[in-house]
Amino acid sequence: MSWQLADVTLDSRFLIGSSLYPSPQIMQQAIVESSAEVVTVSLRRQLPTQQGGQSFWQHIQNLNRHILPNTAGCYSAKDAITTANMAREVFNTHWIKLEVLGDEYNLQPDPFALLEATKELIAQGFEVFPYATDDLVLAERLVTAGCKIVMPWGAPIGTGRGLMNPYALQILRARLPDTTLIIDAGLGVPSHAAQAMELGFDGVLLNTAVAEANDPVMMARGFRDGICAGRNGFEAGVMQQRDLAKPSTPVLGTPFWHQDKHELGG
Amino acid sequence: MITIQFNGEPHQLKAQALPEVLLELGAPQMCAVAVNGQFVPKNEHNSVILQDADSLDAFTPMQGG
C-alpha cells in the first residue's frame, strides 16, 4: 500500500544507504533488490583526478530513485547548515537528512545543535529529516520547529544491535501519531526492521546491515521482506497478550471427551 | 600567478575569477564550492576573485548512509 513521505508518494517503506558496499555494482543490485525508492548520499571533497565519486554517482543516477543527501560528519549546526546548502545545489533537492553529531564515540546526535540547525534549515525551505535519539522531548521540539518527519535511532550507527529501547520508541509513536517516524540506524537483521514496523513506525532507513552482509543483495531482500512483514502485522492489528494459555482448537466435541483432563496432551 | 589550496593541496593558477579557476583546475561540473570555508552558491561564482593563499574546496557526490 502506498504512503506519503514529505511531498512524494512511495510504495516501499525502506530507505537505503549507498555506502560501504564491496563495489558500485553490488550497491546497485542491492538497492534494486531492496525495492527502496529513497537512497541516501553524501558530499565530500574530491580531487578531479579521483574519479570514484563520478562513477558512484553514475550508478545512483541509473537507479532513478529519490535522493536524500545527508550531513554526515558534521559536529556543529553551522557546518550542517553549510553542508545542507551545498547538497541542495548539487543534488537539486530540498530534502536533507540532518545529522549533527555530539559524540565521537557512539556518534550520538547533539540534540541542541540538531534543533538549532533544524530551525534554520526549515526557515530556508528545506524538508528536514532529522537523525535523532529516541528522546520524546527532542522529537516534540523538532515537530514544533516544523519537522514532518523525525528519524530516531534504533541503536548507534553501524552497531547492528537492533532496537535498544522499544519502550521509548513506543512512546514516541503514541505521542506523535501524525508525524512520519522512521527508524534510522542501528539495525542488524531483518527481524529488527520487522519489530520497528510492528511498533507502527512508518519506515526504516539503514545501510551497514545490508552493505556489510556477506551477500548484500540477499540481505537487501531480507530487509525488504522484514519491513513488509512488520508493516502487515501492524496494519492487521496485533492480538492482546495473555498471561494464561487459551486453546486455539475448539475443545467442544473432542474425540476423547470421556478421558480425564489430566490424561489429555496439549 | 597565484597559489591557492585546492581541496587541501597547493595549486598555482593563472586565473583568479572563480569560474575560470574551476575550469583551470578541471573541477567537475557537478560540485559545490567553498572559498575560505564559506559556501559560494553558483549564482555568485561570477563575483568571486581569488587571492593568493586563498583556499578553495569542491564537494562532489559521494556514498552516504
Side-chain angles (χ1 to χ4, degrees), chain B residues 24-35:
Chain B
E24 190 175 333
L25 290 168
Q29 195 73 15
M30 193 177 177
C31 73
V33 167
V35 175

Side-chain angles (χ1 to χ4, degrees), chain A:
Chain A
M1 190 184 295
S2 62
W3 67 298
Q4 195 71 21
L5 178 65
D7 50 344
V8 301
T9 303
L10 303 174
D11 292 318
S12 170
R13 291 176 179 272
F14 192 174
L15 295 78
I16 196 165
S18 57
S19 199
L20 302 172
Y21 294 88
S23 72
Q25 290 76 21
I26 291 176
M27 174 198 73
Q28 203 169 27
Q29 290 169 31
I31 292 172
V32 168
E33 197 66 23
S34 73
S35 295
E37 295 162 277
V38 177
V39 179
T40 54
V41 296
S42 189
L43 276 180
R44 286 290 179 271
R45 281 194 330 184
Q46 197 175 36
L47 292 169
T49 48
Q50 300 171 301
Q51 293 302 316
Q54 296 295 320
S55 161
F56 153 76
W57 180 240
Q58 194 58 53
H59 279 88
I60 291 289
Q61 277 191 307
N62 292 343
L63 292 166
N64 197 27
R65 299 302 205 266
H66 297 285
I67 298 300
L68 177 58
N70 69 26
T71 63
C74 290
Y75 281 84
S76 71
K78 179 175 174 287
D79 288 352
I81 292 165
T82 301
T83 305
N85 274 282
M86 289 179 169
R88 178 159 64 178
E89 183 174 276
V90 168
F91 297 109
N92 194 28
T93 176
H94 68 299
W95 285 12
I96 191 73
K97 176 184 163 180
L98 184 59
E99 286 186 38
V100 191
L101 302 178
D103 186 89
E104 289 182 17
Y105 181 73
N106 67 352
L107 304 180
Q108 182 165 340
D110 177 335
F112 310 101
L114 179 66
L115 185 59
E116 181 188 343
T118 294
K119 287 176 179 172
E120 175 59 27
L121 290 171
I122 285 177
Q124 292 184 17
F126 282 88
E127 188 76 70
V128 176
F129 294 58
Y131 166 58
T133 60
D134 50 27
D135 185 276
L136 173 63
V137 178
L138 171 60
E140 287 177 333
R141 294 282 202 284
L142 291 166
V143 171
T144 303
C147 289
K148 297 182 207 138
I149 300 142
V150 176
M151 303 205 297
W153 66 1
I157 297 169
T159 59
R161 300 175 68 86
L163 307 185
M164 290 187 307
N165 193 344
Y167 170 77
L169 296 171
Q170 278 177 305
I171 296 291
L172 275 184
R173 180 68 288 174
R175 295 297 301 276
L176 299 170
D178 301 322
T179 303
T180 299
L181 293 177
I182 294 169
I183 292 291
D184 178 9
L187 304 189
V189 290
S191 61
H192 293 157
Q195 186 190 6
M197 299 307 293
E198 286 167 2
L199 292 177
F201 280 79
D202 296 285
V204 164
L205 195 166
L206 61 89
N207 190 154
T208 311
V210 168
E212 292 194 347
N214 289 337
D215 184 341
V217 179
M218 186 180 287
M219 189 59 89
R221 193 184 314 142
F223 270 99
R224 177 197 70 193
D225 294 346
I227 288 165
C228 288
R231 184 65 191 180
N232 285 340
F234 172 73
E235 289 187 6
V238 179
M239 64 164 281
Q240 289 293 314
Q241 287 189 6
R242 299 186 184 92
D243 289 333
L244 297 175
K246 181 186 166 196
S248 52
T249 305
V251 291
L252 193 66
T254 52
F256 310 106
W257 70 92
H258 55 280
Q259 290 184 10
D260 287 340
K261 271 189 272 186
H262 67 268
E263 292 175 356
L264 292 169

